[in-house]
Amino acid sequence: MAYSIDLSGRVAFVTGASSGLGAQFAKTLSAAGAGVVLAARRTDRLKALRAEIESEGGDAHVVELDVTDHMSIKAAVAHAETEMGAIDILVNNSGVGGTQKLTDVKPGDFDHIFDVNARGAFFVAQEVAKRMIARSKGE
């Protein structure tokens, strides 16, 4: 099934954009006309993706983000809005997995997975939502 959507003038913030699904989400949103903020820890990969998006006529900005660090989240979202404008779309894609058997997972392994996949996703969504809500109220 083919479809198209026009996201011209919109800003999308994509976490985990340095590889896999995050990179694909960013390319797809850019192809639909959105300006994309590429957010992840591995900025070298983000810069390569930005070059690819820009070579295809898209608009992309790179921001370093560690979703396990609350201050990094606040700084990345603020920087993204300074560079690209208000965020309209959030693709909260950062995530990690483990390769151990369930019975071999240690508390530290679990804590890291939970910090990235649950806590990080929650606080990225919270920071973006605060700004979206304030904007909708005209603040």
Side-chain angles (χ1 to χ4, degrees):
M1 179 165 129
Y3 64 92
S4 68
I5 187 168
D6 182 7
L7 297 175
S8 299
R10 302 292 185 172
V11 174
F13 189 88
V14 182
T15 71
S18 61
S19 64
L21 287 172
Q24 189 58 48
F25 288 136
K27 291 179 205 177
T28 300
L29 289 162
S30 176
V36 292
V37 178
L38 311 171
R41 290 175 297 123
R42 298 176 293 189
T43 57
D44 56 325
R45 291 185 180 193
L46 296 177
K47 290 174 184 174
L49 177 58
R50 178 183 61 198
E52 182 182 343
I53 288 170
E54 289 176 344
S55 74
E56 296 172 5
D59 184 16
H61 182 75
V62 168
V63 65
E64 185 173 358
L65 170 64
D66 178 352
V67 299
T68 66
D69 178 345
H70 195 70
M71 293 310 297
S72 177
I73 293 168
K74 292 175 96 45
V77 172
H79 184 76
E81 288 199 335
T82 298
E83 294 296 320
M84 298 283 290
I87 296 168
D88 301 296
I89 302 162
L90 171 61
V91 178
N92 213 348
N93 175 72
S94 290
V96 296
T99 57
Q100 305 104 318
K101 294 178 184 177
L102 176 71
T103 55
D104 294 335
V105 174
K106 295 183 177 31
D109 301 327
F110 177 84
D111 290 345
H112 176 68
I113 293 167
F114 189 84
D115 283 348
V116 173
N117 297 355
R119 189 173 191 277
F122 177 86
F123 285 110
V124 169
Q126 180 187 63
E127 186 63 25
V128 172
K130 285 179 183 179
R131 292 163 180 272
M132 288 179 169
I133 291 166
R135 204 168 61 243
S136 75
K137 292 179 178 179
E139 296 175 7

